[in-house]
Amino acid sequence: MPAPFIQAHPASTLTHHTTMPDSKPLALAVAYSDSLLQARASQLAASLELPLVGQLTDVRQAASLADVLLYLSLDGLALQMTGKGAPGPVRAEFVHGKAGYRREHGGGTGQLVAKAVGLQKTRRQLTLLDATAGLGQDAFVLAGLGCVVTLVERAPVIHALLQDGLQRAALVTELAPLLNRMTLLPPADAIAYLNAAEGPVADVIHLDPMFPHRDKSALVKKEMRVFRDLVGEDLDAPALLAAALRCARFRVVVKRPRKAPVVEGMAPTMAIEGKSSRYDVYALHALPAG
Ligand SMILES: C[S@@+](CC[C@H](N)C(=O)[O-])C[C@H]1O[C@@H](n2cnc3c(N)ncnc32)[C@H](O)[C@@H]1O
């Protein structure tokens, strides 16, 4: 079942497929902080078919206008909940914060994702398709480790955040070589994209679909709920895995919460566990040594 795309909702509310009893559709709109950004914000609102609420300086006081804003400021594009006690902005961030720190001090090929992809087993530069790009954090780590990464994301709002993050990062000279190894395709469903491919599309395909949480603990993080409402629960992960298995040259790797069941379909060849997450590895052919 496809995720509930925001584009399909010309009005300002989102419906979603979650069964969580206390959730209601969120009203989403576009706003901007500075008149310099007005044209870009209008363009964004039009392309996402969302209402434009105009210039705002205090997004937390905009609760009467929308539950969530796609807020364009001089710091970039952010997803921002409104109202008292709302959590901070969510951006695709590659320069500062966690991603920046991890790039400078990260664990190289010893990291979970690098082990899953098999970077320690080959000296060849691998091509990788991240078919569930999200906010691009995993793709950024893999590009930082030398992979040439193509990113596919189907939720238009998440795609817009990711594109903005990549554009901001590309302005940082020292990140340019890394960013040159990352290509974001226009918003697309990876299942359709892969099913249309006639041969292998990449050496490795990386999947990190949303895991359909049903327990209350999944509601703890408000940001998580916003993200989940935007993208749905990715209940079509089995179809995505099947399509990926047909289109990867060497392996498919699937990120899951550590205790989650495997995605329905072919059994993985091995699992690599971290503290909170796990990678299920579907090895199709041995990676070339060099
Ligand atoms: C858990 S997030 C991925 C987070 C990402 N790994 C990161 O590091 O930021 C899952 C994302 O996959 C996207 N997604 C799920 N199934 C997809 C599909 N079939 N095609 C394209 N995108 C998909 C969702 O819209 C969501 O943004």
Side-chain angles (χ1 to χ4, degrees):
M1 182 179 356
F5 294 177
I6 287 179
Q7 265 178 341
H9 299 271
S12 60
T13 54
L14 301 168
T15 51
H16 45 88
H17 295 177
T18 172
T19 56
M20 292 182 291
D22 52 351
S23 54
K24 62 173 180 36
L26 293 173
L28 184 80
V30 177
Y32 54 94
S33 66
D34 190 296
S35 55
L36 282 174
L37 300 166
Q38 182 179 3
R40 204 181 138 204
S42 321
Q43 202 181 20
L44 189 69
S47 72
L48 295 173
E49 297 184 44
L50 290 172
L52 180 67
V53 302
Q55 188 172 354
L56 286 179
T57 43
D58 189 347
V59 285
R60 301 202 184 192
Q61 285 176 4
S64 60
L65 301 170
D67 298 316
V68 187
L69 289 173
L70 246 190
Y71 188 61
L72 189 59
S73 76
L74 297 173
D75 292 331
L77 185 65
L79 203 57
Q80 172 70 64
M81 290 191 81
T82 60
K84 227 173 131 205
V90 176
R91 293 194 187 88
E93 186 54 72
F94 302 109
V95 184
H96 309 291
K98 251 203 299 196
Y101 181 87
R102 197 164 162 189
R103 181 173 46 85
E104 280 166 22
H105 309 279
T109 54
Q111 295 177 79
L112 194 64
V113 64
K115 284 189 195 156
V117 166
L119 293 183
Q120 288 169 328
K121 290 196 164 38
T122 182
R123 283 190 303 278
R124 166 129 41 125
Q125 184 175 47
L126 295 178
T127 58
L128 194 129
L129 179 80
D130 187 347
T132 56
L135 294 179
Q137 299 303 297
D138 292 321
F140 183 72
V141 169
L142 288 163
L145 294 170
C147 298
V148 176
V149 187
T150 303
L151 295 86
V152 181
E153 170 55 51
R154 67 180 168 187
V157 166
I158 305 299
H159 187 278
L161 291 168
L162 177 55
Q163 190 166 35
D164 174 75
L166 291 171
Q167 283 166 352
R168 278 183 288 114
L171 301 175
V172 179
T173 315
E174 59 174 295
L175 287 182
L178 192 165
L179 266 291
N180 281 339
R181 292 193 291 275
M182 294 175 80
T183 306
L184 174 63
L185 299 184
D189 188 321
I191 302 173
Y193 173 79
L194 292 169
N195 285 342
E198 286 177 2
V201 298
D203 293 332
V204 178
I205 299 182
H206 179 275
L207 307 180
D208 175 19
M210 297 291 281
F211 178 66
H213 286 281
R214 306 252 168 238
D215 57 344
K216 290 261 178 200
S217 62
L219 294 176
V220 170
K221 273 193 151 185
K222 283 191 198 163
E223 297 99 322
M224 201 59 203
R225 176 179 163 210
V226 177
F227 200 88
R228 204 171 287 282
D229 276 7
L230 290 178
V231 305
E233 290 190 330
D234 295 346
L235 298 175
D236 52 359
L240 180 57
L241 173 61
L245 289 168
R246 282 194 303 275
C247 296
R249 208 165 280 120
F250 302 120
R251 54 174 70 182
V252 175
V253 301
V254 183
K255 189 175 180 181
R256 306 291 281 161
R258 194 164 73 89
K259 298 275 184 210
V262 298
V263 175
E264 205 178 293
M266 187 173 135
T269 322
M270 62 177 167
I272 304 179
E273 278 194 11
K275 256 189 252 153
S276 58
S277 50
R278 182 187 85 225
Y279 268 98
D280 292 334
V281 179
Y282 300 77
L284 304 171
H285 296 285
L287 289 158

mmCIF file of all heavy atoms in Angstrom, residues 114-136:
data_model
loop_
_atom_site.group_PDB
_atom_site.id
_atom_site.type_symbol
_atom_site.label_atom_id
_atom_site.label_comp_id
_atom_site.label_asym_id
_atom_site.label_seq_id
_atom_site.Cartn_x
_atom_site.Cartn_y
_atom_site.Cartn_z
ATOM 1 N N ALA A 114 28.333 0.536 7.283
ATOM 2 C CA ALA A 114 29.462 0.216 6.402
ATOM 3 C C ALA A 114 29.728 -1.289 6.391
ATOM 4 O O ALA A 114 30.022 -1.889 5.353
ATOM 5 C CB ALA A 114 30.708 0.968 6.877
ATOM 6 N N LYS A 115 29.602 -1.907 7.559
ATOM 7 C CA LYS A 115 29.783 -3.366 7.637
ATOM 8 C C LYS A 115 28.697 -4.061 6.826
ATOM 9 O O LYS A 115 28.950 -5.051 6.141
ATOM 10 C CB LYS A 115 29.689 -3.841 9.088
ATOM 11 C CG LYS A 115 30.923 -3.545 9.902
ATOM 12 C CD LYS A 115 30.765 -4.271 11.228
ATOM 13 C CE LYS A 115 31.749 -3.782 12.255
ATOM 14 N NZ LYS A 115 31.305 -4.019 13.623
ATOM 15 N N ALA A 116 27.453 -3.558 6.952
ATOM 16 C CA ALA A 116 26.335 -4.190 6.246
ATOM 17 C C ALA A 116 26.545 -4.112 4.735
ATOM 18 O O ALA A 116 26.373 -5.109 4.015
ATOM 19 C CB ALA A 116 25.026 -3.517 6.638
ATOM 20 N N VAL A 117 26.973 -2.957 4.270
ATOM 21 C CA VAL A 117 27.185 -2.776 2.834
ATOM 22 C C VAL A 117 28.374 -3.622 2.363
ATOM 23 O O VAL A 117 28.428 -4.048 1.215
ATOM 24 C CB VAL A 117 27.370 -1.264 2.530
ATOM 25 C CG1 VAL A 117 27.914 -1.018 1.146
ATOM 26 C CG2 VAL A 117 26.035 -0.545 2.715
ATOM 27 N N GLY A 118 29.324 -3.888 3.246
ATOM 28 C CA GLY A 118 30.470 -4.735 2.907
ATOM 29 C C GLY A 118 31.701 -3.936 2.532
ATOM 30 O O GLY A 118 32.568 -4.427 1.812
ATOM 31 N N LEU A 119 31.806 -2.715 3.028
ATOM 32 C CA LEU A 119 32.928 -1.864 2.629
ATOM 33 C C LEU A 119 34.286 -2.412 3.070
ATOM 34 O O LEU A 119 35.303 -2.090 2.474
ATOM 35 C CB LEU A 119 32.725 -0.438 3.162
ATOM 36 C CG LEU A 119 31.555 0.321 2.540
ATOM 37 C CD1 LEU A 119 31.474 1.736 3.082
ATOM 38 C CD2 LEU A 119 31.655 0.347 1.023
ATOM 39 N N GLN A 120 34.269 -3.265 4.112
ATOM 40 C CA GLN A 120 35.561 -3.812 4.558
ATOM 41 C C GLN A 120 36.022 -4.959 3.646
ATOM 42 O O GLN A 120 37.143 -5.402 3.709
ATOM 43 C CB GLN A 120 35.433 -4.336 5.990
ATOM 44 C CG GLN A 120 35.300 -3.219 7.018
ATOM 45 C CD GLN A 120 34.901 -3.724 8.398
ATOM 46 O OE1 GLN A 120 34.176 -4.706 8.511
ATOM 47 N NE2 GLN A 120 35.353 -3.054 9.440
ATOM 48 N N LYS A 121 35.120 -5.428 2.792
ATOM 49 C CA LYS A 121 35.419 -6.608 1.970
ATOM 50 C C LYS A 121 35.911 -6.261 0.577
ATOM 51 O O LYS A 121 36.246 -7.143 -0.202
ATOM 52 C CB LYS A 121 34.136 -7.435 1.814
ATOM 53 C CG LYS A 121 33.674 -8.127 3.071
ATOM 54 C CD LYS A 121 32.667 -9.195 2.688
ATOM 55 C CE LYS A 121 32.379 -10.223 3.736
ATOM 56 N NZ LYS A 121 32.302 -9.835 5.094
ATOM 57 N N THR A 122 35.840 -4.998 0.210
ATOM 58 C CA THR A 122 36.199 -4.634 -1.163
ATOM 59 C C THR A 122 36.949 -3.314 -1.205
ATOM 60 O O THR A 122 36.717 -2.440 -0.358
ATOM 61 C CB THR A 122 34.933 -4.535 -2.042
ATOM 62 O OG1 THR A 122 35.316 -4.220 -3.374
ATOM 63 C CG2 THR A 122 33.946 -3.493 -1.529
ATOM 64 N N ARG A 123 37.848 -3.191 -2.185
ATOM 65 C CA ARG A 123 38.509 -1.891 -2.376
ATOM 66 C C ARG A 123 37.863 -1.130 -3.535
ATOM 67 O O ARG A 123 38.196 -0.005 -3.824
ATOM 68 C CB ARG A 123 40.001 -2.091 -2.638
ATOM 69 C CG ARG A 123 40.791 -2.413 -1.356
ATOM 70 C CD ARG A 123 42.293 -2.366 -1.595
ATOM 71 N NE ARG A 123 42.706 -3.283 -2.656
ATOM 72 C CZ ARG A 123 42.919 -4.577 -2.480
ATOM 73 N NH1 ARG A 123 42.797 -5.115 -1.288
ATOM 74 N NH2 ARG A 123 43.272 -5.338 -3.495
ATOM 75 N N ARG A 124 36.918 -1.813 -4.196
ATOM 76 C CA ARG A 124 36.220 -1.201 -5.332
ATOM 77 C C ARG A 124 35.284 -0.083 -4.831
ATOM 78 O O ARG A 124 34.675 -0.224 -3.775
ATOM 79 C CB ARG A 124 35.413 -2.302 -6.035
ATOM 80 C CG ARG A 124 34.420 -1.710 -6.971
ATOM 81 C CD ARG A 124 34.280 -2.113 -8.394
ATOM 82 N NE ARG A 124 34.361 -3.451 -8.813
ATOM 83 C CZ ARG A 124 33.377 -4.032 -9.523
ATOM 84 N NH1 ARG A 124 32.232 -3.416 -9.730
ATOM 85 N NH2 ARG A 124 33.547 -5.237 -10.006
ATOM 86 N N GLN A 125 35.211 0.994 -5.599
ATOM 87 C CA GLN A 125 34.225 2.034 -5.246
ATOM 88 C C GLN A 125 32.835 1.511 -5.607
ATOM 89 O O GLN A 125 32.575 1.174 -6.761
ATOM 90 C CB GLN A 125 34.501 3.319 -6.019
ATOM 91 C CG GLN A 125 33.548 4.441 -5.606
ATOM 92 C CD GLN A 125 33.858 5.775 -6.273
ATOM 93 O OE1 GLN A 125 34.069 5.838 -7.482
ATOM 94 N NE2 GLN A 125 33.891 6.833 -5.493
ATOM 95 N N LEU A 126 31.968 1.400 -4.621
ATOM 96 C CA LEU A 126 30.652 0.806 -4.847
ATOM 97 C C LEU A 126 29.627 1.860 -5.238
ATOM 98 O O LEU A 126 29.645 2.981 -4.723
ATOM 99 C CB LEU A 126 30.160 0.093 -3.581
ATOM 100 C CG LEU A 126 30.966 -1.128 -3.132
ATOM 101 C CD1 LEU A 126 30.377 -1.687 -1.837
ATOM 102 C CD2 LEU A 126 30.989 -2.223 -4.202
ATOM 103 N N THR A 127 28.712 1.457 -6.136
ATOM 104 C CA THR A 127 27.547 2.299 -6.390
ATOM 105 C C THR A 127 26.426 1.795 -5.500
ATOM 106 O O THR A 127 26.272 0.586 -5.281
ATOM 107 C CB THR A 127 27.099 2.238 -7.868
ATOM 108 O OG1 THR A 127 26.801 0.876 -8.207
ATOM 109 C CG2 THR A 127 28.168 2.769 -8.786
ATOM 110 N N LEU A 128 25.654 2.741 -4.983
ATOM 111 C CA LEU A 128 24.638 2.384 -4.006
ATOM 112 C C LEU A 128 23.345 3.137 -4.310
ATOM 113 O O LEU A 128 23.386 4.312 -4.641
ATOM 114 C CB LEU A 128 25.175 2.797 -2.642
ATOM 115 C CG LEU A 128 24.441 2.231 -1.454
ATOM 116 C CD1 LEU A 128 25.420 1.593 -0.503
ATOM 117 C CD2 LEU A 128 23.674 3.315 -0.746
ATOM 118 N N LEU A 129 22.229 2.440 -4.214
ATOM 119 C CA LEU A 129 20.940 3.121 -4.315
ATOM 120 C C LEU A 129 20.335 3.137 -2.927
ATOM 121 O O LEU A 129 20.104 2.073 -2.335
ATOM 122 C CB LEU A 129 20.003 2.369 -5.275
ATOM 123 C CG LEU A 129 18.635 3.041 -5.402
ATOM 124 C CD1 LEU A 129 18.697 4.231 -6.353
ATOM 125 C CD2 LEU A 129 17.567 2.062 -5.878
ATOM 126 N N ASP A 130 20.094 4.341 -2.403
ATOM 127 C CA ASP A 130 19.353 4.442 -1.146
ATOM 128 C C ASP A 130 17.895 4.679 -1.544
ATOM 129 O O ASP A 130 17.522 5.791 -1.922
ATOM 130 C CB ASP A 130 19.890 5.576 -0.267
ATOM 131 C CG ASP A 130 19.236 5.560 1.108
ATOM 132 O OD1 ASP A 130 18.217 4.839 1.267
ATOM 133 O OD2 ASP A 130 19.721 6.242 2.017
ATOM 134 N N ALA A 131 17.109 3.619 -1.478
ATOM 135 C CA ALA A 131 15.734 3.675 -2.010
ATOM 136 C C ALA A 131 14.741 4.239 -1.006
ATOM 137 O O ALA A 131 13.569 4.394 -1.325
ATOM 138 C CB ALA A 131 15.311 2.274 -2.451
ATOM 139 N N THR A 132 15.182 4.530 0.201
ATOM 140 C CA THR A 132 14.332 5.139 1.239
ATOM 141 C C THR A 132 15.149 6.283 1.860
ATOM 142 O O THR A 132 15.508 6.226 3.034
ATOM 143 C CB THR A 132 13.932 4.106 2.320
ATOM 144 O OG1 THR A 132 15.143 3.539 2.867
ATOM 145 C CG2 THR A 132 13.073 2.984 1.776
ATOM 146 N N ALA A 133 15.403 7.293 1.072
ATOM 147 C CA ALA A 133 16.426 8.277 1.450
ATOM 148 C C ALA A 133 16.101 9.054 2.720
ATOM 149 O O ALA A 133 16.998 9.404 3.478
ATOM 150 C CB ALA A 133 16.650 9.238 0.296
ATOM 151 N N GLY A 134 14.813 9.357 2.966
ATOM 152 C CA GLY A 134 14.460 10.108 4.179
ATOM 153 C C GLY A 134 15.202 11.429 4.223
ATOM 154 O O GLY A 134 15.244 12.181 3.243
ATOM 155 N N LEU A 135 15.844 11.726 5.349
ATOM 156 C CA LEU A 135 16.589 12.978 5.472
ATOM 157 C C LEU A 135 18.067 12.787 5.132
ATOM 158 O O LEU A 135 18.908 13.628 5.450
ATOM 159 C CB LEU A 135 16.404 13.571 6.869
ATOM 160 C CG LEU A 135 14.960 14.013 7.167
ATOM 161 C CD1 LEU A 135 14.842 14.569 8.582
ATOM 162 C CD2 LEU A 135 14.444 15.037 6.161
ATOM 163 N N GLY A 136 18.383 11.643 4.511
ATOM 164 C CA GLY A 136 19.678 11.465 3.875
ATOM 165 C C GLY A 136 20.841 11.120 4.786
ATOM 166 O O GLY A 136 21.993 11.113 4.339
#
